[in-house]
Amino acid sequence: MHKQIFVNLPIRDMQRSRAFFEAMGYAFNPQFSNDQGACLVLGENLHAMLLVHDFFKGFTAKPIADAREVSEVLVCMSCDSREQVDALVAKAVAAGGTTPRAPQDHGFMYAHGFEDLDGHIWELVAMTGEMPPAAA
């Protein structure tokens, strides 16, 4: 089993990206951050590495997807409550993000999300009740 996760995401502007996530209440680990990459702390052992395009290119020969035009990944994080989901989405929008779709209430689970300044989609979910039994 793995002990940590570092999701690496390409970004265009380090200052703007850091300000966006700091406005949402997140912090960065200075030990793994500089002007080329920043370690966004999402939770205990959960991180996103925000890497400027030129630095990101050093890890892959493939072209970098423009997340504003194509879906490259959906990052989904759990929240403690419906209110926390809504509060984080509101903070993202206030900091310049957008909401790609309306909130989804599935009875047992509430979901909403936002797109960051580079178009990466962040889904937020709160388990609000008992999950229905699995289909046969």
Side-chain angles (χ1 to χ4, degrees):
M1 297 298 285
H2 305 284
K3 297 182 193 273
Q4 296 187 67
I5 187 168
F6 292 85
V7 176
N8 293 268
L9 299 172
I11 61 167
R12 287 176 180 74
D13 186 311
M14 180 60 72
Q15 260 188 323
R16 285 188 71 223
S17 291
R18 284 185 70 125
F20 175 82
F21 286 104
E22 287 169 345
M24 293 183 63
Y26 292 105
F28 289 87
N29 181 337
Q31 187 177 9
F32 299 108
S33 299
N34 59 30
D35 59 344
Q36 297 295 302
C39 181
L40 174 63
V41 179
L42 300 166
E44 186 177 351
N45 299 319
L46 306 172
H47 312 88
M49 293 299 299
L50 307 181
L51 308 176
V52 294
H53 278 219
D54 286 341
F55 188 60
F56 188 93
K57 288 177 187 177
F59 295 96
T60 180
K62 294 181 180 182
I64 296 174
D66 183 346
R68 296 173 301 181
E69 301 292 328
V70 299
S71 293
E72 30 105 51
V73 65
L74 299 174
V75 179
C76 184
M77 297 185 296
S78 64
C79 291
D80 292 332
S81 67
R82 178 184 186 118
E83 292 77 21
Q84 184 184 21
V85 168
D86 289 338
L88 285 170
V89 171
K91 287 179 182 180
V93 171
T98 60
T99 54
R101 62 187 194 148
Q104 307 289 309
D105 190 341
H106 301 285
F108 69 97
M109 179 179 72
Y110 178 75
H112 201 193
F114 63 91
E115 286 189 23
D116 67 19
L117 302 178
D118 288 282
H120 304 294
I121 299 172
W122 299 79
E123 292 286 326
L124 304 168
V125 298
M127 300 310 256
T128 56
E130 189 171 323
M131 202 154 97

